[in-house]
Amino acid sequence: MAGSSWQGYLKLLRDLTHTLEQLTQVEREKNEAAAAGDVQGVEACMKREQAMSMSLRGYDQKRDVMLAELGLTGVKLSGLADRAPEELRLETKAAAEELRRQYFLFRTASEVARSTLEVNLRAIERLQAQQAGDTAQAEEERKSFQTDFRA
């Protein structure tokens, strides 16, 4: 029984890793869209992120239940292989390492996308401020060239 429960937990880790791979790709696409100034592309990526985030919440809840069933509540991913059944230790270690690696790649891609969005947002804000200033200056110049014929 413990072996099949453990196999189920390993499947959950692999599924989670796959979802993080997909999310990492979305982050890369979001970064490309942000760098290109493609607002609609960024929005589409953000919608996909939201949907995947719901999946991650589901995995998290399922993981908590499975860890409790296995008597591993509070055990970190790095300590999982030490608690695995002997015949599943290598597979557990590999699944945990792959999940940690994929999480690192996701965080890196996410930080790059966030930075690109912030840089582009600041550039847009500067451009809008400049355009607002140009508009105000043009209005002042227009007023100074108007002639009052009421006199």
Side-chain angles (χ1 to χ4, degrees):
M1 165 88 173
S4 65
S5 295
W6 199 273
Q7 286 287 3
Y9 185 68
L10 291 177
K11 180 182 179 332
L12 177 80
L13 293 181
R14 287 189 291 273
D15 291 347
L16 179 56
T17 300
H18 180 69
T19 300
L20 280 175
E21 287 172 2
Q22 292 174 324
L23 197 51
T24 301
Q25 183 58 38
V26 170
E27 289 297 322
R28 289 179 181 140
E29 291 171 17
K30 184 170 71 173
N31 182 53
E32 290 172 10
D38 179 4
V39 175
Q40 292 171 336
V42 170
E43 288 176 355
C45 288
M46 291 175 82
K47 286 179 183 177
R48 288 171 50 204
E49 278 179 322
Q50 288 174 340
M52 289 180 167
S53 142
M54 297 295 280
S55 293
L56 290 176
R57 277 194 277 272
Y59 283 127
D60 197 37
Q61 292 170 349
K62 198 180 232 184
R63 181 186 57 84
D64 287 343
V65 168
M66 293 180 97
L67 284 174
E69 288 174 356
L70 291 167
L72 299 171
T73 302
V75 174
K76 295 183 180 189
L77 200 54
S78 59
L80 203 56
D82 295 334
R83 302 284 195 98
E86 185 65 40
E87 67 277 8
L88 297 173
R89 281 214 174 122
L90 289 177
E91 187 178 349
T92 300
K93 182 178 180 183
E97 286 175 359
E98 182 60 21
L99 179 56
R100 281 195 307 271
R101 185 188 73 77
Q102 190 57 53
Y103 181 71
F104 174 79
L105 292 173
F106 162 71
R107 292 223 16 199
T108 302
S110 179
E111 289 170 9
V112 169
R114 183 175 46 248
S115 294
T116 302
L117 284 169
E118 288 172 358
V119 166
N120 285 347
L121 183 58
R122 283 193 287 277
I124 290 169
E125 288 171 345
R126 281 193 304 273
L127 182 60
Q128 287 176 333
Q130 181 183 13
Q131 288 174 343
D134 290 347
T135 302
Q137 182 180 353
E139 182 64 25
E140 285 299 314
E141 288 174 7
R142 186 184 61 75
K143 285 180 182 178
S144 69
F145 289 118
Q146 286 181 340
T147 305
D148 189 354
F149 292 106
R150 291 180 286 175

